[in-house]
Structure formats: structure tokens, C-alpha cells
Amino acid sequence: QVQLVESGGGLVQPGGSLRLSCAASTSIANIPIMAWYRQAPGKEREVVATIVSTSSTNYIDSVKGRFTISRDNAKNTVYLQMNSLKFEDTAVYYCQATMVLGRTYWGQGTQVTISS
């Protein structure tokens, strides 16, 4: 199994920043799609950002201009830089890898809490 381990979550005030990391047990250069999802209390899990092997990215509208997904192939790590954080960004954030033929792997999640 491909292992994904998230880190970097925590408590931050509105307007602050966090950088989440997703460390993979295999070369991410061989993974077609990496993504960050989040799930807020009582809400469905939603995709936040995706990055493909060409480094093309996509974002949910609510985070455009504030979040940046990036990839460091040398470290087998995907990042989510989160700036100008808002209360509604509070959620558990999950890393996902999608292989060829649609096989997916998930990390265990990391909690992000925005509070005054």
C-alpha cells in the first residue's frame, strides 16, 4: 500500500497562515494526481486543490488566491500553503493520491482550526 502522512495542522488566528505537508512512501513523480481534501464538522468531504504530474493545478473557488498546492518530487512531498485563513477553513485536511486506473490512497488527516 502507498502510505501518505499529513502534517502541519494546528490552531491559527483568522488571517494567519499554515503550510500542510503530505509525505508519500513512493515517488510522487509516478503518481498522476495528488490532491488535498477537507471535511468540516457536519459537512461532506470536498476537494480543495489538485496537482497533476505536469504541475498543473486546480482549486475550489473559495480558496483561490489564498491557497497554493505544490510538489517537491525530491522529497516525495506535496504541500498546501494556506494564507489569509478564515473561520470557514476549519476542517480536517486529507491528502489523496490517485494512481492510474483510478486506485486511490488517503492519509489519516490533519486538523486545521481557525479561531480568535
Side-chain angles (χ1 to χ4, degrees):
Q1 297 272 47
V2 175
Q3 303 294 319
L4 303 172
V5 180
E6 301 98 333
S7 62
L11 177 67
V12 67
Q13 294 186 358
S17 298
L18 284 173
R19 189 179 73 162
L20 306 183
S21 298
C22 172
S25 63
T26 189
S27 174
I28 63 170
N30 298 324
I31 301 175
I33 306 173
M34 299 292 298
W36 285 98
Y37 284 71
R38 68 185 180 187
Q39 187 164 24
K43 302 293 191 294
E44 294 184 21
R45 188 174 298 188
E46 64 179 357
V47 63
V48 176
T50 62
I51 185 166
V52 298
S53 58
T54 61
S55 293
S56 294
T57 59
N58 284 288
Y59 301 90
I60 192 171
D61 285 346
S62 62
V63 309
K64 287 181 178 177
R66 299 189 297 119
F67 290 12
T68 303
I69 187 171
S70 62
R71 182 180 65 210
D72 187 337
N73 289 349
K75 297 183 181 295
N76 292 331
T77 300
V78 175
Y79 302 97
L80 185 67
Q81 178 67 47
M82 305 185 295
N83 299 325
S84 302
L85 284 162
K86 304 174 179 180
F87 174 80
E88 53 263 42
D89 296 320
T90 295
V92 177
Y93 284 71
Y94 299 90
C95 182
Q96 183 204 55
T98 301
M99 308 301 193
V100 294
L101 303 179
R103 176 70 167 173
T104 61
Y105 298 89
W106 293 87
Q108 294 300 117
T110 186
Q111 176 71 49
V112 172
T113 301
I114 316 303
S115 177
S116 299

